[in-house]
Amino acid sequence: GESVGLHLPTLSVQEGDNSIINCAYSNSASDYFIWYKQESGKGPQFIIDIRSNMDKRQGQRVTVLLNKTVKHLSLQIAATQPGDSAVYFCAEGLQGGKLIFGQGTELSVKP
Amino acid sequence: KAGVTQTPRYLIKTRGQQVTLSCSPISGHRSVSWYQQTPGQGLQFLFEYFSETQRNKGNFPGRFSGRQFSNSRSEMNVSTLELGDSALYLCASSWGTATNEKLFFGSGTQLSVL
């Protein structure tokens, strides 16, 4: 069935370290993937997206990697800062336009 | 440019009542999607409207309905509220011109059903 899952529900990192958040998806027909960050009391905020014709995309301090062979997505955050503490969601875009979200990973950054 | 605006921010209702939530999309965006967020189920898609027409629908009972107005503003309604409807209801807007495109979310309406 349709599902997007996350390997770890929580991730704790030291300030300045790199963070890697992983995501598995099940629908091989998905051609669009997106990462969101959600802080307490706020709605999800767009971080970065990638289409299935790419395997890597970089933004400011963030990189998304897509491995279609094993249906795996990851978000890398460089030099993690306290302001990066939040819940991170991956989502896949299915035909028809709706996004299917994973359960989320809570990232905690220790000073 | 103003973001997605949702009102009210908080709502408390009792079982059996109905509720209407409002969403104003980013100016120029014609697609509005609604999601329900709970700790146990995460973010679940309710429906999407584009140019006043429901274009996609999730797996929610008929008690959940919505509509979109000519100015792209959207409302969703939940009738005969149940305790399990307690959740954060998120509205998101986008241009709506591509099959898949990034959504811009509002801060949500926190609904508590007592």
Side-chain angles (χ1 to χ4, degrees):
Chain A
E2 303 168 356
S3 68
V4 179
L6 289 162
H7 293 308
L8 296 173
T10 61
L11 177 65
S12 183
V13 301
Q14 203 70 37
E15 181 179 357
D17 287 351
N18 296 334
S19 303
I20 300 176
I21 302 172
N22 295 304
C23 177
Y25 64 95
S26 61
N27 195 323
S28 57
S30 295
D31 62 358
Y32 178 70
F33 304 88
I34 189 167
W35 283 97
Y36 282 93
K37 169 188 180 183
Q38 187 173 25
E39 296 173 284
S40 181
K42 298 183 179 179
Q45 177 186 1
F46 170 81
I47 301 173
I48 192 167
D49 58 0
I50 188 169
R51 297 203 177 268
S52 59
N53 59 352
M54 302 173 68
D55 52 22
K56 180 179 180 179
R57 192 173 188 205
Q58 289 183 293
Q60 188 176 11
R61 285 200 305 118
V62 295
T63 300
V64 56
L65 298 177
L66 175 62
N67 186 329
K68 294 181 287 294
T69 303
V70 295
K71 291 186 282 188
H72 184 268
L73 190 69
S74 69
L75 176 70
Q76 300 177 2
I77 305 173
T80 314
Q81 303 168 0
D84 295 327
S85 295
V87 177
Y88 289 79
F89 294 94
C90 64
E92 62 180 307
L94 302 177
Q95 293 177 0
K98 65 180 181 180
L99 290 178
I100 303 298
F101 283 81
Q103 288 297 309
T105 291
E106 183 172 7
L107 175 65
S108 175
V109 182
K110 296 177 289 186
Chain B
K1 198 173 189 180
V4 177
T5 304
Q6 291 189 248
T7 56
R9 187 72 178 89
Y10 301 95
L11 264 179
I12 300 175
K13 293 286 187 179
T14 57
R15 280 182 299 173
Q17 287 186 311
Q18 75 166 18
V19 66
T20 299
L21 313 181
S22 180
C23 173
S24 293
I26 291 171
S27 178
H29 285 188
R30 294 167 63 191
S31 169
V32 173
S33 300
W34 288 89
Y35 285 80
Q36 181 195 66
Q37 185 175 27
T38 59
Q41 298 297 317
L43 279 149
Q44 293 189 292
F45 174 76
L46 281 155
F47 28 67
E48 183 224 359
Y49 286 86
F50 178 79
S51 291
E52 302 179 66
T53 301
Q54 187 179 87
R55 192 162 65 172
N56 284 296
K57 188 178 188 303
N59 297 322
F60 277 81
R63 299 186 297 108
F64 292 81
S65 63
R67 60 177 176 169
Q68 187 180 33
F69 303 96
S70 58
N71 61 359
S72 294
R73 192 176 68 84
S74 177
E75 289 181 346
M76 70 162 281
N77 184 76
V78 188
S79 62
T80 319
L81 284 165
E82 300 177 0
L83 296 178
D85 297 333
S86 294
L88 180 66
Y89 289 88
L90 291 160
C91 167
S93 75
S94 65
W95 297 107
T97 53
T99 302
N100 284 301
E101 57 188 5
K102 59 188 176 190
L103 303 181
F104 294 85
F105 283 87
S107 293
T109 293
Q110 184 67 54
L111 173 65
S112 297
V113 182
L114 306 178

